[in-house]
Each structure stands twice: as structure tokens, then as C-alpha cells.
Amino acid sequence: MRFVKQNTNVDFIGKRKLAYGVSLAMLLISLVSLVFHKGPRYGVDFVGGTILQIKFSGPTAIDIVKKGLAAAGIDKVSVQQFEDLEAHEFLIRTDVAIETAEEFTSRVQTALKSATGKAPEIQRIEMVGPQVGQDLRKKALFAVFFALLFITIYISGRFEFKWFISGVMAAVLIGAVYLLSLFKVSIPVLIAAALAVTLVLFWFLKLRYAMGAIVALIHDVTITVGIFSILEKEFTLPIIAALLTIIGYSLNDTIIVFDRIRENIRKYQKSSFETIVNRSINETLSRTILTAGTTLIVLSALFWLGGGIIHDFAFSMIVGVVVGTYSSIYVASPILLAMPEEGARRKT
């Protein structure tokens, strides 16, 4: 099925400087928000504490719920009502990690019934200790970093036949990151530095396809996390799963375009590399739009109908698919043009 006419020739590459400006603005806004908020707003999964989902039989004000929780000895608490107001459900988060669920549940139910006059139904309760949360946060960051690094090995091997060089580079970076992490170096700073070193090495080793892919993926992840920071949404384990899924989706989109570029380099040997890249993007545009469109339809259904538990996951996926589709066209492929044309044709 072809959604876009076969001879379509949109000048994507000609507008790459404008696209770079848009991407740079989004990245700066995301980074400023993360710095201002001192990182993402980590959920109970990463900082430890307790989360409860409570349902009342009738309308209840958030202030009254907070007063009831204060009477139960829970002062530092965040209370959020689900979007479906008729359900009368609330999500309660506290940084206190309880030890006995039954005793805690009983105390909360008694205090809330006294404050609201309605017997609450506790539908869910989750507890995470502070040390466990810290370990999960560390492992989540490593998961994203290693995923990006292993992807670059695959891209370098598939498109430039540099399996050994990329493998050795990745092994050295992984070893360095692991050793430095043992000396209590800040993991976010460490991984950011490692990614910066990776990009520099890609440039000097002329791993242009890996460079395009990794820049696009960093672009997608940073903007998605930045939007969560701007909207002050909680960053939890399901969001990490969403980020890894976004990386896979965006990479798949990028590889389709890279494959077409490689084919067209052989087919149109007399054309300039810029023309070939733009032609390749146009030739895969139908597939890109159809894939993104059908994916967004499913994610929109999850977002609106999936309920509060899956709401943030679906939202992060929607953001990631939109940004990932944009980056495969305006970030990953144009990055190839940053290097000499003759180098881009080598070994393809």
C-alpha cells in the first residue's frame, strides 16, 4: 500500500538547517527543565516510598483526603485524582516506605472514613524501600546506555562493516563506565560523559551511520524525558520500558531509510550524496507515515481508554513515536551529510 505518490520529491534535506534549529530548541528546553527540576520527577519505583490507589463511593475533595491522611500520620503526601471524575479514584504517593501493609492499610482506611464520611476501598498498594529505589534508578540508566551502545555496534557492522572497531570501542566504554561507577561517581553525569566520548570517537573513526543513529536516539530520549519534566509527570519503571521501546521504534525507522540510501548509492552513482539521501527519505516516506499513523491510533486508544495505570506509559510512547518519526527524517539521515561525500560512499 502506497500512501504517498511514487514520484514525490519533498526537499527534506534542503530544510535540514531549520530542522536542526527546531531540534536544538527542543533539546535546550528539555535540558533547562531537567536542570531546573534537578532531574526527572522520580516515582516511588526510583526513590522509595508507598503508593496507594483508593476509590470512594461518592465525590470527595482532595483537601479532605489529605486531612484524613495527615490524621493517619502521613504528612508528606501527593494526592492525584484520576481523570475519570465519576470513578472517585485517587492515587496517593508518600516517600514513607511502610513495613506492615495490613496495619498501614487499616490505619489509612479508618482515618479516611473519619475525614470523608465514606468508607474507602484500597485497590492497590505498592511499597519500595529507598535502597531498592536507588538501585533501580541506577540499573535503569545503565539499561538505556547499554541499549544505545549495542545498537551502534550493529549499525556500524551492518552499514560500514566495522564490527571489530565498534566492538572494541563499546567494550572499552562499558568497562570504563563500570569501573568509574564503583568509585561512587554520579551515574547520570558518568553516562552523559560516556555518550559524549562515544560521539567524538564516532566522528574520528568515521562511523557515520552509527553517528546518525545514536544522535537521533539521544535526541528522542532527551526530548521525551524533557517533556515529562516540563509537565512534572512521574518517571517510573514503565516509562523506562517505554523509552527502550521508543529506541527500538526510532531505530527501525532509521534503518529503513539507511537501507534505501545504501541501495540508491549503488543505483545513482552520478548523483550527489545530498540528492541520494533526499530521494531515499522520499521513497520510504509512505512506509514511515503509515507505520507512525497506525501506531499512534493504537497508542491513542490506550491513552484515552486504557485507564490511569497505563496513561503515562501511553503518553510517553505517543511523544516518542512522533519525535522518533521526525528524527529519522530530519536528524539521522542529514547527519550523514556532515561528513565528506566520498567517505559516505565507501564500503556501501
Side-chain angles (χ1 to χ4, degrees):
M1 180 179 179
R2 180 171 290 276
F3 185 76
V4 179
K5 292 182 179 180
Q6 188 169 358
N7 296 323
T8 298
N9 186 27
V10 180
D11 188 16
F12 293 108
I13 296 303
K15 297 179 177 63
R16 66 182 182 276
K17 292 183 179 180
L18 175 62
Y20 286 159
V22 172
S23 292
L24 184 60
M26 290 192 293
L27 288 170
L28 286 175
I29 292 171
S30 298
L31 292 173
V32 168
S33 177
L34 288 168
V35 171
F36 179 78
H37 291 107
K38 298 180 180 178
R41 182 190 171 196
Y42 290 113
V44 172
D45 294 336
F46 295 128
V47 296
T50 306
I51 183 169
L52 299 95
Q53 184 176 339
I54 296 179
K55 181 176 182 178
F56 291 93
S57 58
T60 306
I62 290 179
D63 291 340
I64 297 178
V65 173
K66 288 183 176 180
K67 288 180 181 179
L69 292 170
I74 307 173
D75 296 321
K76 295 181 180 180
V77 64
S78 169
V79 180
Q80 176 185 356
Q81 187 169 8
F82 283 91
E83 291 185 3
D84 185 1
L85 300 180
E86 296 181 359
H88 314 303
E89 291 185 44
F90 295 84
L91 201 62
I92 299 170
R93 301 178 179 88
T94 173
D95 57 4
V96 178
I98 64 175
E99 297 180 359
T100 307
E102 292 182 3
E103 179 184 342
F104 177 81
T105 301
S106 177
R107 189 167 79 246
V108 168
Q109 285 179 316
T110 302
L112 288 177
K113 183 178 181 180
S114 176
T116 65
K118 305 178 185 70
E121 175 188 348
I122 296 184
Q123 298 183 320
R124 176 168 63 110
I125 180 169
E126 296 177 7
M127 297 157 285
V128 179
Q131 185 58 48
V132 173
Q134 185 177 356
D135 291 342
L136 286 174
R137 187 165 69 242
K138 178 180 177 180
K139 291 177 180 178
L141 289 171
F142 277 135
V144 175
F145 173 67
F146 290 150
L148 292 174
L149 210 54
F150 288 134
I151 282 169
T152 61
I153 298 176
Y154 170 73
I155 294 292
S156 298
R158 175 169 176 177
F159 291 96
E160 298 168 301
F161 309 105
K162 296 181 180 179
W163 292 100
F164 181 75
I165 294 176
S166 58
V168 170
M169 183 198 71
V172 171
L173 285 170
I174 290 173
V177 168
Y178 176 74
L179 289 174
L180 289 173
S181 68
L182 298 178
F183 292 96
K184 307 299 181 182
V185 178
S186 172
I187 300 300
V189 173
L190 181 59
I191 289 178
L195 288 174
V197 171
T198 301
L199 293 176
V200 172
L201 289 174
F202 284 166
W203 181 268
F204 283 105
L205 294 174
K206 296 182 178 179
L207 300 176
R208 53 190 53 80
Y209 286 95
M211 182 82 162
I214 197 71
V215 169
L217 294 178
I218 292 173
H219 170 277
D220 300 343
V221 170
T222 303
I223 291 175
T224 303
V225 175
I227 289 176
F228 262 70
S229 175
I230 293 169
L231 299 179
E232 296 188 2
K233 285 181 171 290
E234 282 200 339
F235 202 77
T236 58
L237 280 176
I239 305 307
I240 293 295
L243 290 179
L244 293 174
T245 307
I246 290 165
I247 288 173
Y249 176 90
S250 179
L251 178 67
N252 182 60
D253 240 8
T254 299
I255 286 176
I256 296 296
V257 179
F258 282 0
D259 263 333
R260 187 56 60 90
I261 290 173
R262 184 170 58 176
E263 292 172 5
N264 286 338
I265 283 176
R266 299 191 186 103
K267 189 175 180 181
Y268 305 102
Q269 296 183 7
K270 295 183 179 180
S271 299
S272 68
F273 189 53
E274 181 174 333
T275 301
I276 289 173
V277 171
N278 198 70
R279 178 191 291 270
S280 301
I281 295 173
N282 277 281
E283 289 178 353
T284 56
L285 188 59
S286 180
R287 182 258 176 208
T288 299
I289 293 175
L290 286 171
T291 302
T294 52
T295 304
L296 286 173
I297 289 172
V298 175
L299 292 174
S300 297
L302 285 175
F303 180 79
W304 295 109
L305 306 174
I309 302 302
I310 203 172
H311 183 272
D312 284 350
F313 174 85
F315 175 76
S316 61
M317 285 295 300
I318 289 172
V319 173
V321 168
V322 173
V323 176
T325 302
Y326 165 86
S327 70
S328 66
I329 296 174
Y330 282 113
V331 179
S333 299
I335 286 291
L336 302 179
L337 297 171
M339 296 186 179
E341 180 181 340
E342 61 271 14
R345 294 174 179 271
R346 194 182 304 144
K347 291 187 178 181
T348 53

